Amino acid sequence: MAQNEKKRPVVGLALGGGMARGCSHVGVLREFEKNQIPIDLIAGTSVGALIGGAYASGLSPDEVEKLALTIRWSDLGRATVSMMGFYNSARTEEYVRRNFPVTEFDKMRMPFGAVATDLQTGRMVVFTEGSLPLAIRASCAMPVFYTPVTVNGRMMVDGGLVGHIPASVARMMGADIVIAVDINSQHLPIPQPTNLFTIMSQSLSIMGRTAVNYLYADADVVVRPQIEHVRPDDLSKAAEMITAGEEASRRVIHKVRRLLVPRKQSVFKRIFGKPQHDHRRVTMLEED
Protein backbone atom coordinates (compact mmCIF):
# COMPACT_ATOMS: atom_id res chain seq x y z
CA MET A 1 0.00 0.00 0.00
CA ALA A 2 2.76 2.46 0.88
CA GLN A 3 4.47 1.80 -2.43
CA ASN A 4 1.29 2.54 -4.40
CA GLU A 5 0.74 5.80 -2.50
CA LYS A 6 4.11 7.07 -3.71
CA LYS A 7 3.19 6.68 -7.36
CA ARG A 8 2.82 10.03 -9.06
CA PRO A 9 -0.65 11.19 -10.14
CA VAL A 10 -1.93 10.49 -13.65
CA VAL A 11 -1.71 13.70 -15.71
CA GLY A 12 -4.31 14.46 -18.36
CA LEU A 13 -4.06 17.27 -20.90
CA ALA A 14 -7.31 18.83 -22.17
CA LEU A 15 -6.71 20.75 -25.40
CA GLY A 16 -9.49 23.16 -26.29
CA GLY A 17 -10.95 24.21 -29.61
CA GLY A 18 -10.29 27.49 -31.38
CA MET A 19 -9.39 26.88 -35.04
CA ALA A 20 -6.04 28.42 -36.04
CA ARG A 21 -5.41 29.47 -32.46
CA GLY A 22 -4.77 25.80 -31.77
CA CYS A 23 -1.21 26.35 -32.96
CA SER A 24 -0.53 27.53 -29.42
CA HIS A 25 -1.10 23.95 -28.23
CA VAL A 26 2.21 23.07 -29.85
CA GLY A 27 4.04 25.50 -27.59
CA VAL A 28 2.34 24.01 -24.54
CA LEU A 29 3.44 20.50 -25.50
CA ARG A 30 7.00 21.61 -26.13
CA GLU A 31 7.31 23.51 -22.86
CA PHE A 32 5.93 20.61 -20.84
CA GLU A 33 8.38 18.20 -22.46
CA LYS A 34 11.23 20.64 -21.89
CA ASN A 35 10.34 20.84 -18.19
CA GLN A 36 9.75 17.08 -17.91
CA ILE A 37 6.08 17.46 -17.07
CA PRO A 38 4.56 14.03 -17.77
CA ILE A 39 1.51 13.68 -20.00
CA ASP A 40 -0.29 10.37 -19.57
CA LEU A 41 -3.43 10.99 -21.61
CA ILE A 42 -4.94 13.64 -23.85
CA ALA A 43 -8.49 14.78 -24.59
CA GLY A 44 -9.00 17.18 -27.49
CA THR A 45 -11.84 19.18 -28.98
CA SER A 46 -11.76 20.39 -32.59
CA VAL A 47 -8.24 21.70 -33.31
CA GLY A 48 -7.29 20.34 -29.89
CA ALA A 49 -8.12 16.89 -31.26
CA LEU A 50 -5.95 17.51 -34.31
CA ILE A 51 -2.90 18.73 -32.36
CA GLY A 52 -3.42 16.34 -29.45
CA GLY A 53 -3.94 13.43 -31.80
CA ALA A 54 -0.71 14.23 -33.62
CA TYR A 55 1.25 14.20 -30.38
CA ALA A 56 -0.48 11.11 -28.97
CA SER A 57 0.15 9.26 -32.22
CA GLY A 58 3.89 9.59 -31.70
CA LEU A 59 4.98 12.90 -33.23
CA SER A 60 7.35 15.12 -31.25
CA PRO A 61 6.49 18.77 -30.54
CA ASP A 62 9.01 19.80 -33.21
CA GLU A 63 7.31 17.53 -35.74
CA VAL A 64 3.88 18.85 -34.80
CA GLU A 65 5.25 22.39 -35.17
CA LYS A 66 6.30 21.65 -38.76
CA LEU A 67 2.72 20.65 -39.50
CA ALA A 68 1.34 23.77 -37.80
CA LEU A 69 3.65 26.05 -39.79
CA THR A 70 2.76 24.53 -43.15
CA ILE A 71 -0.91 23.51 -42.89
CA ARG A 72 -3.46 25.35 -45.02
CA TRP A 73 -7.25 25.33 -44.84
CA SER A 74 -7.29 23.60 -48.23
CA ASP A 75 -5.54 20.65 -46.56
CA LEU A 76 -8.62 20.05 -44.42
CA GLY A 77 -11.55 20.55 -46.78
CA ARG A 78 -12.79 21.35 -50.28
CA ALA A 79 -15.82 23.19 -51.58
CA THR A 80 -18.89 21.04 -52.15
CA VAL A 81 -22.44 21.39 -53.40
CA SER A 82 -24.53 20.35 -50.40
CA MET A 83 -27.45 21.59 -48.35
CA MET A 84 -25.51 20.49 -45.23
CA GLY A 85 -22.47 22.74 -45.53
CA PHE A 86 -20.13 24.62 -47.83
CA TYR A 87 -17.09 22.35 -47.49
CA ASN A 88 -16.52 18.61 -47.32
CA SER A 89 -13.86 17.68 -44.74
CA ALA A 90 -12.80 14.30 -46.15
CA ARG A 91 -9.38 15.88 -46.72
CA THR A 92 -8.96 16.07 -42.95
CA GLU A 93 -8.92 12.28 -42.83
CA GLU A 94 -6.44 12.17 -45.71
CA TYR A 95 -4.23 14.71 -43.95
CA VAL A 96 -4.12 12.63 -40.75
CA ARG A 97 -3.35 9.43 -42.64
CA ARG A 98 -0.58 11.16 -44.56
CA ASN A 99 1.13 12.85 -41.63
CA PHE A 100 0.52 10.79 -38.48
CA PRO A 101 2.64 7.71 -37.72
CA VAL A 102 -0.42 5.66 -36.65
CA THR A 103 -4.09 5.97 -37.54
CA GLU A 104 -5.77 3.60 -35.07
CA PHE A 105 -6.46 4.45 -31.43
CA ASP A 106 -5.11 1.16 -30.12
CA LYS A 107 -1.69 1.88 -31.66
CA MET A 108 -1.22 5.30 -30.06
CA ARG A 109 1.43 5.83 -27.41
CA MET A 110 -1.06 7.10 -24.82
CA PRO A 111 -4.83 7.15 -24.27
CA PHE A 112 -6.50 9.79 -26.43
CA GLY A 113 -10.07 11.03 -26.70
CA ALA A 114 -11.50 13.18 -29.50
CA VAL A 115 -14.67 15.08 -28.59
CA ALA A 116 -17.49 15.55 -31.10
CA THR A 117 -21.18 16.45 -30.90
CA ASP A 118 -24.05 14.21 -31.98
CA LEU A 119 -26.07 16.70 -34.01
CA GLN A 120 -29.34 14.83 -33.58
CA THR A 121 -29.26 14.30 -29.82
CA GLY A 122 -27.07 17.27 -28.88
CA ARG A 123 -24.94 15.00 -26.71
CA MET A 124 -21.20 14.80 -26.37
CA VAL A 125 -19.48 11.85 -28.04
CA VAL A 126 -15.93 10.88 -27.11
CA PHE A 127 -14.01 8.77 -29.61
CA THR A 128 -11.47 6.55 -27.88
CA GLU A 129 -11.20 3.61 -30.28
CA GLY A 130 -11.40 2.79 -33.96
CA SER A 131 -10.30 5.14 -36.74
CA LEU A 132 -8.26 8.16 -35.59
CA PRO A 133 -8.67 10.12 -38.88
CA LEU A 134 -12.45 9.73 -38.74
CA ALA A 135 -12.60 10.80 -35.09
CA ILE A 136 -10.49 13.92 -35.68
CA ARG A 137 -12.52 14.84 -38.74
CA ALA A 138 -15.75 14.56 -36.74
CA SER A 139 -14.32 16.62 -33.88
CA CYS A 140 -13.30 19.40 -36.30
CA ALA A 141 -16.49 19.54 -38.40
CA MET A 142 -17.69 23.06 -37.68
CA PRO A 143 -21.41 23.11 -38.51
CA VAL A 144 -22.62 24.98 -41.60
CA PHE A 145 -19.07 25.54 -42.79
CA TYR A 146 -18.26 21.80 -42.99
CA THR A 147 -20.81 19.11 -43.75
CA PRO A 148 -21.58 16.79 -40.81
CA VAL A 149 -19.59 13.56 -40.56
CA THR A 150 -21.63 10.37 -40.46
CA VAL A 151 -20.40 7.71 -38.04
CA ASN A 152 -22.40 4.54 -37.49
CA GLY A 153 -25.46 6.29 -38.91
CA ARG A 154 -25.13 9.29 -36.58
CA MET A 155 -24.31 12.83 -37.71
CA MET A 156 -21.30 14.30 -35.93
CA VAL A 157 -20.14 17.92 -35.82
CA ASP A 158 -17.56 19.99 -33.97
CA GLY A 159 -17.14 19.11 -30.29
CA GLY A 160 -17.07 22.80 -29.44
CA LEU A 161 -20.85 22.86 -29.47
CA VAL A 162 -20.96 20.91 -26.21
CA GLY A 163 -17.85 22.42 -24.66
CA HIS A 164 -14.66 23.73 -26.21
CA ILE A 165 -12.50 22.73 -23.20
CA PRO A 166 -12.62 18.93 -22.61
CA ALA A 167 -11.40 18.99 -19.00
CA SER A 168 -14.24 16.74 -17.84
CA VAL A 169 -13.33 14.22 -20.55
CA ALA A 170 -9.71 14.04 -19.38
CA ARG A 171 -11.01 13.46 -15.86
CA MET A 172 -13.35 10.72 -17.03
CA MET A 173 -10.51 9.05 -18.90
CA GLY A 174 -8.67 8.62 -15.61
CA ALA A 175 -6.61 11.76 -14.98
CA ASP A 176 -5.84 12.66 -11.36
CA ILE A 177 -4.49 16.03 -12.50
CA VAL A 178 -6.16 17.81 -15.42
CA ILE A 179 -4.30 20.58 -17.23
CA ALA A 180 -6.68 22.46 -19.54
CA VAL A 181 -5.50 24.68 -22.37
CA ASP A 182 -8.04 27.39 -23.16
CA ILE A 183 -7.40 29.24 -26.41
CA ASN A 184 -10.87 30.69 -26.86
CA SER A 185 -12.25 32.21 -23.65
CA GLN A 186 -10.38 35.48 -23.22
CA HIS A 187 -12.87 38.02 -21.93
CA LEU A 188 -11.78 40.73 -24.34
CA PRO A 189 -13.32 42.10 -27.55
CA ILE A 190 -12.80 39.58 -30.33
CA PRO A 191 -11.51 40.57 -33.79
CA GLN A 192 -14.16 41.64 -36.28
CA PRO A 193 -15.34 38.66 -38.35
CA THR A 194 -14.25 38.74 -41.98
CA ASN A 195 -16.09 35.74 -43.44
CA LEU A 196 -18.58 32.99 -42.64
CA PHE A 197 -15.82 30.83 -41.19
CA THR A 198 -14.87 33.42 -38.56
CA ILE A 199 -18.53 34.22 -37.83
CA MET A 200 -19.18 30.57 -37.01
CA SER A 201 -15.98 30.24 -35.00
CA GLN A 202 -16.62 33.35 -32.97
CA SER A 203 -20.22 32.27 -32.37
CA LEU A 204 -18.86 29.08 -30.81
CA SER A 205 -16.39 31.16 -28.84
CA ILE A 206 -19.18 33.33 -27.40
CA MET A 207 -21.12 30.19 -26.43
CA GLY A 208 -18.02 28.86 -24.71
CA ARG A 209 -17.43 32.05 -22.74
CA THR A 210 -20.84 31.83 -21.12
CA ALA A 211 -20.05 28.31 -19.88
CA VAL A 212 -16.37 28.80 -19.06
CA ASN A 213 -16.75 28.39 -15.28
CA TYR A 214 -18.52 25.08 -15.83
CA LEU A 215 -15.88 23.95 -18.33
CA TYR A 216 -13.08 24.84 -15.88
CA ALA A 217 -14.65 22.83 -13.05
CA ASP A 218 -12.65 19.67 -13.77
CA ALA A 219 -9.37 21.48 -14.43
CA ASP A 220 -6.67 21.67 -11.76
CA VAL A 221 -4.56 24.04 -13.87
CA VAL A 222 -5.64 26.24 -16.79
CA VAL A 223 -3.16 27.43 -19.42
CA ARG A 224 -4.37 30.55 -21.25
CA PRO A 225 -2.12 31.72 -24.09
CA GLN A 226 -2.47 35.44 -24.79
CA ILE A 227 -3.67 35.19 -28.39
CA GLU A 228 -6.97 37.06 -28.26
CA HIS A 229 -5.73 39.47 -30.95
CA VAL A 230 -5.37 36.65 -33.49
CA ARG A 231 -8.31 35.94 -35.79
CA PRO A 232 -9.41 32.31 -35.53
CA ASP A 233 -8.79 31.76 -39.26
CA ASP A 234 -5.32 33.34 -39.36
CA LEU A 235 -2.75 30.60 -39.90
CA SER A 236 -0.06 33.13 -40.83
CA LYS A 237 0.60 33.80 -37.14
CA ALA A 238 1.31 30.15 -36.27
CA ALA A 239 4.85 30.83 -35.02
CA GLU A 240 3.64 33.69 -32.81
CA MET A 241 0.91 31.50 -31.32
CA ILE A 242 3.34 28.66 -30.62
CA THR A 243 5.52 31.10 -28.70
CA ALA A 244 2.47 32.32 -26.77
CA GLY A 245 1.73 28.72 -25.80
CA GLU A 246 5.26 28.30 -24.46
CA GLU A 247 5.04 31.52 -22.45
CA ALA A 248 1.64 30.61 -20.97
CA SER A 249 2.93 27.17 -19.96
CA ARG A 250 5.93 28.65 -18.15
CA ARG A 251 3.53 30.69 -16.01
CA VAL A 252 1.92 27.54 -14.59
CA ILE A 253 4.84 25.08 -14.46
CA HIS A 254 5.43 25.71 -10.75
CA LYS A 255 1.81 24.90 -9.93
CA VAL A 256 1.89 21.68 -11.95
CA ARG A 257 5.08 20.57 -10.20
CA ARG A 258 3.46 21.06 -6.81
CA LEU A 259 0.50 18.94 -7.84
CA LEU A 260 2.80 16.16 -9.02
CA VAL A 261 4.15 15.55 -5.52
CA PRO A 262 2.40 12.38 -4.24
CA ARG A 263 0.24 12.99 -1.20
CA LYS A 264 -0.42 10.37 1.41
CA GLN A 265 -4.08 9.43 1.44
CA SER A 266 -5.82 9.06 4.78
CA VAL A 267 -7.21 5.68 5.82
CA PHE A 268 -10.70 7.21 5.99
CA LYS A 269 -10.50 8.47 2.39
CA ARG A 270 -9.11 5.18 1.11
CA ILE A 271 -12.04 3.30 2.60
CA PHE A 272 -14.91 5.72 2.13
CA GLY A 273 -13.74 8.09 -0.60
CA LYS A 274 -15.63 8.18 -3.89
CA PRO A 275 -13.83 7.72 -7.23
CA GLN A 276 -12.94 10.97 -8.96
CA HIS A 277 -14.03 9.88 -12.42
CA ASP A 278 -16.61 7.63 -14.02
CA HIS A 279 -15.45 5.66 -17.06
CA ARG A 280 -19.06 4.75 -17.88
CA ARG A 281 -19.70 8.31 -19.05
CA VAL A 282 -17.23 7.96 -21.91
CA THR A 283 -18.98 7.08 -25.15
CA MET A 284 -16.93 5.11 -27.65
CA LEU A 285 -17.68 4.65 -31.33
CA GLU A 286 -16.03 2.53 -33.97
CA GLU A 287 -15.98 3.11 -37.70
CA ASP A 288 -18.26 0.77 -39.66
Side-chain angles (χ1 to χ4, degrees), residues 187-210:
H187 293 278
L188 294 172
I190 53 182
Q192 181 174 338
T194 57
N195 52 53
L196 180 62
F197 202 19
T198 53
I199 289 174
M200 286 302 303
S201 174
Q202 294 190 6
S203 297
L204 291 177
S205 176
I206 292 169
M207 290 169 56
R209 292 180 193 195
T210 62

Side-chain angles (χ1 to χ4, degrees), residues 47-236:
V47 68
L50 181 62
I51 299 296
Y55 183 75
S57 73
L59 295 179
S60 68
D62 287 347
E63 290 170 325
V64 181
E65 179 182 38
K66 289 179 182 178
L67 297 181
L69 293 175
T70 57
I71 195 170
R72 297 293 177 263
W73 292 117
S74 58
D75 293 326
L76 303 177
R78 61 177 176 80
T80 186
V81 178
S82 171
M83 295 181 66
M84 296 290 188
F86 294 102
Y87 287 81
N88 180 291
S89 59
R91 287 184 179 180
T92 300
E93 290 190 60
E94 297 168 6
Y95 181 85
V96 172
R97 290 194 181 96
R98 188 169 62 249
N99 292 288
F100 290 17
V102 300
T103 56
E104 296 294 326
F105 277 87
D106 60 3
K107 296 179 180 177
M108 302 181 81
R109 64 175 171 178
M110 66 181 66
F112 172 69
V115 180
T117 304
D118 185 322
L119 188 58
Q120 292 162 279
T121 66
R123 299 181 65 180
M124 175 191 296
V125 175
V126 183
F127 292 85
T128 58
E129 58 184 32
S131 169
L132 179 63
L134 179 68
I136 291 176
R137 177 188 175 191
S139 184
C140 295
M142 181 183 295
V144 180
F145 196 82
Y146 290 118
T147 56
V149 179
T150 302
V151 183
N152 294 347
R154 296 161 64 181
M155 297 176 70
M156 301 291 158
V157 293
D158 195 300
L161 267 69
V162 289
H164 68 280
I165 307 169
S168 63
V169 177
R171 185 75 69 188
M172 289 186 289
M173 290 173 65
D176 300 310
I177 298 172
V178 175
I179 304 171
V181 185
D182 183 2
I183 56 175
N184 222 22
S185 295
Q186 290 85 359
H187 293 278
L188 294 172
I190 53 182
Q192 181 174 338
T194 57
N195 52 53
L196 180 62
F197 202 19
T198 53
I199 289 174
M200 286 302 303
S201 174
Q202 294 190 6
S203 297
L204 291 177
S205 176
I206 292 169
M207 290 169 56
R209 292 180 193 195
T210 62
V212 69
N213 290 334
Y214 168 77
L215 296 172
Y216 281 1
D218 278 291
D220 298 289
V221 177
V222 179
V223 182
R224 297 181 64 177
Q226 301 303 302
I227 51 174
E228 58 277 353
H229 60 285
V230 180
R231 291 199 326 270
D233 65 333
D234 190 357
L235 289 169
S236 69

Side-chain angles (χ1 to χ4, degrees), residues 23-24 27 30 65 238-250:
C23 292
S24 59
R30 173 182 288 135
E65 179 182 38
E240 177 184 340
M241 290 185 282
I242 291 171
T243 299
E246 293 172 340
E247 293 172 348
S249 297
R250 285 195 288 270

Side-chain angles (χ1 to χ4, degrees), residues 28-37 39 55 59-61 109:
V28 175
L29 291 167
R30 173 182 288 135
E31 198 63 23
F32 282 176
E33 274 206 359
K34 178 181 175 182
N35 286 275
Q36 299 182 321
I37 300 298
I39 299 173
Y55 183 75
L59 295 179
S60 68
R109 64 175 171 178

